[in-house]
Every structure is written in structure tokens, then in C-alpha cells.
């Protein structure tokens, strides 16, 4: 009993907790309480959450304990999970990090939320994010900045910064994020946790507040690769509520954990090792290559020739789609409405002027411009054409290799305030993650070490459409053999 009291249950992984829940040595209520104890002690410093759901969580935990006793447990029954505040939760405020949705209470659950509920998960709360998921640092939220648990003066990455910080700080066991251009993988890398963007179409986006519909995906943020597989098992699948979700077979992702990668070919795209990449990140990649070779994989040089256009293409396509998606926030149908408008148009103007923050407005203007007649051909259409070339780069590359390996980010976490007033510098943070969204393929970021000043570094693997299993296989083989000690941030 005394040993039980000394253990911090909130530090364990999903699969570690599953065992303890099943053998009866631990209850979901105990785990959930340990998570909220942790939140009480560190949340003021980190600010991972916009909304906490303690009362309903304890109720869900009791229900989960009943279900486990009945022998009716699912993979996530009794596990405390955090949800990015872009996912609709019935009866629970969903803000998307924006003033314009400050008081929006959805009347329904997103499909992924319903799937987690059905599996018996416990919802800890809604995590902080860049406003409308536009950003790479979680500094643009209307609800304040999330700090990196490894260094509170630095950003956690974004836009799913709250989801990554909450996992890294043990303020939940796992979380869901969304990734339109890197928003799961980049914060996962900067916070030292695992993050996966599934294939476009693998996970339903029904009930996710839309940012750029041809790029958006929902995915897990977890403490290790096995947990990522467990989360993928629960959230994947076709859904009539999202016409882009694909009715493809879903493998048991857990089966890919602990399989070897002997004989695999890993492509290293030379275009990803450009000037400006931090030398410590470059060293970490070289070290990873050695480990993969020791495991029997062959690492080869490949080319993705259109890589240099990714940032430009993404920052035309994403804002264009955003400008259309965000037209619905007019002060009539959702959330915030400004007072004092003289007529309907004036009310729209006042509502959108004060309801959206600077970055969101910048994107709406960029997008409206590139879609407008006379400019459409030069910008949006041209970007779509180059996007097709980027995709065909990957099709060609995967003829030569099983997976592709790149750094997840060009630098470790930067300081709060360092880039927020320089959009171009901020956009360049996404240089290695945008391409998978543009091509629709899956990508995962896995911790691969620390800088000399103890900041986490992440490595990214990419695979062909619907080959998430391969990503989990190589990521877990690497994780098990990399001998990187599992450290915890001191808070
Ligand atoms: N940082 C990128 C952007 O600002 C990607 C965001 C995302 O993936 N949601 O658009």
C-alpha cells in the first residue's frame, strides 16, 4: 500500500495503467485524482488548459471503474485524456482559442470525442491552442500563452501546444491534437513526446472546427509509441459525418509495436538538410541513422525536389481555405457578437474586427486576396499545381524506400516573444512538417534526444498513405533501441 502511495500514477503510460486497472491494483478514480493533483501544482506555471472538467471526469472515472469490474473494459477505459479545444464537446465550451467562440457550447460531440467516450476514456479538460490552430507557438490564443514544461521561458510549439505540454508535464496521460501543417508533430517534438498526424481520411474530422479542410487531420499526442498505437486504434475509421474519411480497413496498430525493421530502406531527403538547421538537431539525426542501421535498416539518400516550395504553397492554400471556413463567424450563428453596430454590415465588421486576433485576420486577408478574381490563377491555382508536384515527389520517393526520415523542426523550442511579431520567421518553423499535409500522407514525431541545455529534439518519419502501421513499427523499434533515457521536466 505504501508503495502505491509513493507512485505517481499520472506519470505512467496508457499501457502501463491498463495493466494496473485490469489486475485491480489501481482504480480510474485514483489515476484521475493524481492527474488533478498534478494540475493543481503545475498548471499555473504551464497553462496547458483553457477549460478543466474535473467534476465530470471523476464521474466518468467512477463509471469506468464499474465497467472494468464488470469485465467490460475497452482499450481506453478509465484513462484520463485531454482534448484540444478545437474539438466539439457536447455541453462543454469549445473556444478554438478565440474570443469569437469564447462562450460557444456545442450541442454535439466530435466523432473522435464520441469514440473516446464509447471506449470509456475520462476527459480531463480542453487544451490551449493558437487561435483557430493558426500558429506554431501557442502564443496567439485569446486565453493566454502555454509555456514549455522544459523551460518556462520558451514556447511549447503549436498550434496544439496545450495538448503537448499537458502530456509532457504529466497533466494527463495522453491527448488529442490537430495537424494542418505540423501542429501535432512540431509541439510533440519541442515538448519531448510522441505525436502522429494520420493519413488524410484516416480519422473523421466531424466536429473539429475547420481551419483548412484539405489539410486538417486529428491525431494523438502520447508519452510513447505504444500509446500512440492504442489511441489510433480507437480514433481511426470511416464516418458518414466526414465525407473525406475513407472506408479502408483498419489494422490493429498495436501489432506493429516490437516488430523489427531488418531489411527496410529509409530515405533521407537531402533537401531537408539545408542551411539554418540547428547543429544539435543535425547531430541527433545522424545518431538516429546509426541506430536504424544497427537495427538492420539501410539508409539511402533521396530527393524531394519540390521541397523548397512547401512553405509558399502551404501559406497560400491554408489561408485560402481558412478565409472561406471562417466566413461563418458573423456574430449571428455562433458565439460572440459586438454591440453598437449601426446596421447588419456594421455589426459583422465590428464582430469580426474585435472577435478575431491579428494572426487570424492576417490569414483571412491573405486567403481572400489569393482567391479573388484576377489573382486566383496566379496564387491559389498555381499553388494547387505545385502541390500536385510535391505529392508526386513522395510517390516517386516511396518507390525507393519504405519510410522517410527527417528532423521534425529546424530548431529546438524558441523563446516566448521571439518570433510572434515576425510572421515569416514563424512560418519557417513548419518547413519540415508541411509537406505531409500537402501530400496527405502520415507522419510521426518521436523524441530523439536533448540539446546541451536540456531541450527536447524530435525526429520525423513519413510513410505512404494509410501506412501508419509502418510508422509505428519503425518509431517503436527506434524508441526501444535508442537508449535515450526517459527524462521528466522539472517543474
Ligand atoms: N503552424 C502552421 C500554421 O500556422 C500549422 C498549423 C496547424 O497545423 N494547425 O498554419
Amino acid at each position: 500500500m505504501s508503495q502505491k502511495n509513493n507512485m505517481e500514477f499520472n506519470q505512467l503510460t496508457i499501457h502501463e495503467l491498463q495493466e494496473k486497472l485490469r489486475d485491480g491494483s489501481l482504480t480510474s478514480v485514483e489515476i484521475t485524482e493524481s492527474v488533478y493533483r498534478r494540475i493543481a501544482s503545475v498548471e499555473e506555471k504551464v497553462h496547458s488548459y483553457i477549460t478543466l472538467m474535473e467534476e465530470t471526469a471523476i464521474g466518468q472515472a467512477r463509471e469506468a471503474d464499474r465497467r472494468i469490474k464488470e469485465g467490460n473494459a475497452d482499450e481506453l477505459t478509465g484513462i484520463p485524456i485531454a482534448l484540444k479545444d478545437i474539438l466539439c464537446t457536447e455541453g462543454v465550451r469549445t473556444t478554438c482559442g478565440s474570443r469569437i467562440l469564447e462562450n460557444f457550447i456545442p450541442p454535439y460531440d466530435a466523432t473522435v470525442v464520441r469514440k473516446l467516450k464509447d471506449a470509456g476514456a475520462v476527459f480531463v479538460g480542453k487544451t490551449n491552442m493558437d487561435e483557430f490552430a493558426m500558429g506554431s507557438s501557442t502564443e496567439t490564443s485569446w486565453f493566454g500563452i502555454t509555456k514549455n514544461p522544459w523551460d518556462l521561458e520558451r514556447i511549447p510549439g503549436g498550434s496544439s501546444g496545450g495538448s503537448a505540454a499537458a502530456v509532457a508535464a504529466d497533466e494527463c496521460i495522453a491527448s488529442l491534437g490537430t495537424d494542418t501543417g505540423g501542429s501535432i508533430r512540431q509541439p510533440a517534438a519541442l515538448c519531448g513526446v510522441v505525436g502522429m498526424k494520420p493519413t488524410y481520411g484516416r480519422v473523421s474530422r466531424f466536429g473539429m472546427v475547420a481551419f483548412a479542410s484539405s489539410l486538417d487531420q486529428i491525431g494523438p499526442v502520447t508519452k510513447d509509441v505504444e500509446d500512440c498505437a492504442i489511441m489510433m486504434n480507437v480514433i481511426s475509421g470511416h464516418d458518414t459525418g466526414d465525407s473525406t474519411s475513407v472506408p479502408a480497413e483498419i489494422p490493429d496498430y498495436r501489432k506493429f509495436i516490437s516488430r523489427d525493421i531488418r531489411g527496410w530502406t529509409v530515405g533521407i531527403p537531402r533537401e531537408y538538410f539545408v542551411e539554418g538547421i540547428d547543429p544539435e538537431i543535425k547531430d541527433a539525426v545522424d545518431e538516429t541513422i546509426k541506430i536504424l542501421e544497427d537495427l538492420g535498416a539501410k539508409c539511402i539518400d533521396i530527393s524531394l525536389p519540390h521541397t523548397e516550395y512547401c512553405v509558399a504553397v502551404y501559406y497560400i492554400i491554408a489561408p485560402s481555405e481558412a478565409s472561406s471556413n471562417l466566413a461563418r463567424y458573423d456574430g449571428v450563428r455562433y458565439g460572440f457578437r459586438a454591440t453598437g453596430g449601426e446596421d447588419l454590415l456594421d455589426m459583422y465588421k465590428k464582430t469580426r474586427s474585435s472577435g478575431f486576433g491579428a494572426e487570424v485576420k492576417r490569414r483571412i486577408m491573405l486567403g481572400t486576396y489569393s482567391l479573388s478574381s484576377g489573382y486566383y490563377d496566379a496564387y491559389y491555382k498555381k499553388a494547387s499545381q505545385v502541390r500536385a508536384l510535391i505529392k508526386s515527389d513522395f510517390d516517386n520517393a516511396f518507390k525507393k524506400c519504405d519510410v522517410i526520415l527527417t528532423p521534425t523542426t529546424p530548431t529546438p523550442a524558441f523563446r516566448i516573444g521571439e518570433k510572434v511579431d515576425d510572421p515569416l520567421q514563424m512560418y519557417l518553423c513548419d518547413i519540415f512538417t508541411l509537406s505531409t499535409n500537402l501530400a496527405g500522407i502520415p507522419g510521426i514525431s518521436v523524441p530523439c534526444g536533448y540539446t546541451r541545455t536540456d531541450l527536447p529534439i524530435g525526429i520525423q518519419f513519413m510513410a505512404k498513405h494509410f501506412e501508419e502501421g509502418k510508422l509505428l513499427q519503425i518509431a517503436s523499434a527506434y524508441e526501444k533501441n535508442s537508449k535515450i533515457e526517459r527524462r521528466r521536466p522539472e517543474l
Side-chain angles (χ1 to χ4, degrees):
M1 195 64 199
S2 68
Q3 195 198 358
K4 193 166 164 177
N5 289 338
N6 289 338
M7 271 173 55
E8 301 288 353
F9 312 131
N10 58 311
Q11 295 186 347
L12 301 178
T13 60
I14 300 176
H15 55 96
E16 288 164 342
L17 289 169
Q18 271 177 350
E19 262 177 50
K20 295 189 189 301
L21 284 168
R22 287 201 185 140
D23 70 18
S25 59
L26 202 55
T27 66
S28 173
V29 171
E30 288 173 304
I31 302 168
T32 306
E33 284 173 350
S34 78
V35 165
Y36 283 103
R37 269 200 302 280
R38 177 69 175 168
I39 290 173
S41 80
V42 304
E43 175 61 6
E44 213 177 310
K45 293 185 206 159
V46 183
H47 188 37
S48 303
Y49 289 95
I50 293 176
T51 304
L52 287 165
M53 297 160 68
E54 185 159 4
E55 238 170 74
T56 47
I58 299 293
Q60 283 176 317
R62 284 205 190 98
E63 181 56 35
D65 284 329
R66 256 197 302 278
R67 193 165 153 179
I68 294 164
K69 253 200 198 128
E70 286 163 9
N72 199 4
D74 216 314
E75 282 197 289
L76 289 178
T77 309
I79 306 291
I81 307 274
L83 304 167
K84 185 176 181 179
D85 208 19
I86 194 170
L87 300 170
C88 284
T89 39
E90 185 182 347
V92 179
R93 178 170 85 135
T94 300
T95 70
C96 224
S98 181
R99 182 183 191 198
I100 214 156
L101 289 176
E102 189 168 15
N103 297 311
F104 172 58
I105 299 184
Y108 63 93
D109 281 328
T111 297
V112 287
V113 172
R114 188 184 45 72
K115 283 185 176 217
L116 292 179
K117 257 189 197 169
D118 291 348
V122 172
F123 294 142
V124 182
K126 310 288 299 281
T127 57
N128 198 17
M129 54 182 284
D130 281 298
E131 186 179 7
F132 281 100
M134 297 172 190
S136 311
S137 66
T138 318
E139 292 172 287
T140 71
S141 169
W142 170 249
F143 300 90
I145 299 169
T146 297
K147 317 279 171 59
N148 190 315
W150 293 90
D151 178 346
L152 297 171
E153 284 172 11
R154 291 177 190 269
I155 56 95
S159 63
S160 314
S163 292
V167 174
D170 298 307
E171 293 183 278
C172 64
I173 308 304
S175 63
L176 284 184
T178 61
D179 190 313
T180 302
S183 280
I184 291 174
R185 291 158 289 152
Q186 184 253 17
L190 302 188
C191 290
V193 294
V194 174
M196 179 188 265
K197 180 201 93 76
T199 308
Y200 187 76
R202 175 92 293 183
V203 177
S204 165
R205 290 103 35 94
F206 178 75
M208 169 195 169
V209 179
F211 163 12
S213 305
S214 78
L215 302 158
D216 297 337
Q217 259 297 288
I218 299 170
V221 180
T222 56
K223 295 183 188 184
D224 70 5
V225 179
E226 184 163 358
D227 279 5
C228 181
I230 295 171
M231 293 284 281
M232 283 298 295
N233 276 350
V234 176
I235 64 171
S236 301
H238 178 239
D239 174 20
T240 49
D242 175 359
S243 60
T244 66
S245 72
V246 174
E249 198 198 327
I250 301 152
D252 176 359
Y253 288 114
R254 232 167 155 171
K255 290 212 172 110
F256 293 92
I257 305 296
S258 308
R259 284 188 188 165
D260 72 38
I261 53 161
R262 204 155 289 286
W264 281 31
T265 306
V266 180
I268 321 284
R270 64 185 83 107
E271 292 82 2
Y272 280 63
F273 295 88
V274 285
E275 235 177 274
I277 171 167
D278 186 284
E280 287 190 274
I281 295 202
K282 172 80 175 60
D283 290 348
V285 176
D286 290 342
E287 205 43 51
T288 306
I289 293 175
K290 272 192 219 133
I291 292 165
L292 297 175
E293 282 176 340
D294 287 346
L295 292 172
K298 197 168 113 199
C299 295
I300 61 162
D301 170 63
I302 59 160
S303 173
L304 296 167
H306 296 92
T307 299
E308 63 173 305
Y309 305 112
C310 284
V311 175
V313 167
Y314 173 88
Y315 279 98
I316 290 173
I317 291 180
S320 298
E321 295 182 9
S323 69
S324 159
N325 275 326
L326 270 57
R328 71 189 69 170
Y329 304 103
D330 56 7
V332 177
R333 285 170 287 183
Y334 301 88
F336 170 78
R337 174 189 297 180
T339 50
E342 277 166 21
D343 52 28
L344 185 64
L345 270 184
D346 196 40
M347 187 279 286
Y348 287 162
K349 207 165 134 188
K350 287 202 161 69
T351 296
R352 289 169 68 83
S353 301
S354 54
F356 291 134
E359 182 60 26
V360 173
K361 285 185 211 162
R362 181 178 298 124
R363 306 273 180 121
I364 293 174
M365 283 189 279
L366 278 172
T368 307
Y369 182 81
S370 30
L371 289 179
S372 58
S373 76
Y375 296 101
Y376 178 90
D377 284 354
Y379 294 103
Y380 185 79
K381 193 168 159 208
K382 186 57 88 192
S384 302
Q385 286 164 337
V386 181
R387 180 180 186 176
L389 296 175
I390 292 166
K391 186 176 169 296
S392 74
D393 281 355
F394 281 103
D395 295 341
N396 291 332
F398 286 124
K399 287 180 191 145
K400 299 193 197 92
C401 59
D402 296 281
V403 293
I404 292 173
L405 166 70
T406 76
T408 310
T409 61
T411 66
F414 47 91
R415 286 184 191 282
I416 290 168
E418 199 178 310
K419 300 189 193 218
V420 74
D421 296 322
D422 188 344
L424 194 58
Q425 282 308 312
M426 190 69 89
Y427 298 169
L428 285 169
C429 301
D430 308 325
I431 191 157
F432 300 146
T433 49
L434 301 171
S435 55
T436 68
N437 302 75
L438 291 169
I441 60 175
I444 190 170
S445 178
V446 198
C448 74
Y450 301 87
T451 64
R452 273 182 291 276
T453 53
D454 271 343
L455 295 173
I457 302 175
I459 194 97
Q460 172 174 243
F461 294 105
M462 309 164 175
K464 269 192 230 170
H465 294 90
F466 299 104
E467 288 194 336
E468 285 84 357
K470 268 195 172 165
L471 293 183
L472 293 163
Q473 185 166 342
I474 192 161
S476 78
Y478 168 72
E479 179 185 59
K480 291 199 164 73
N481 292 283
S482 64
K483 300 196 184 66
I484 295 165
E485 46 170 331
R486 202 158 129 201
R487 296 192 214 166
R488 306 208 116 76
E490 276 171 39
L491 278 164

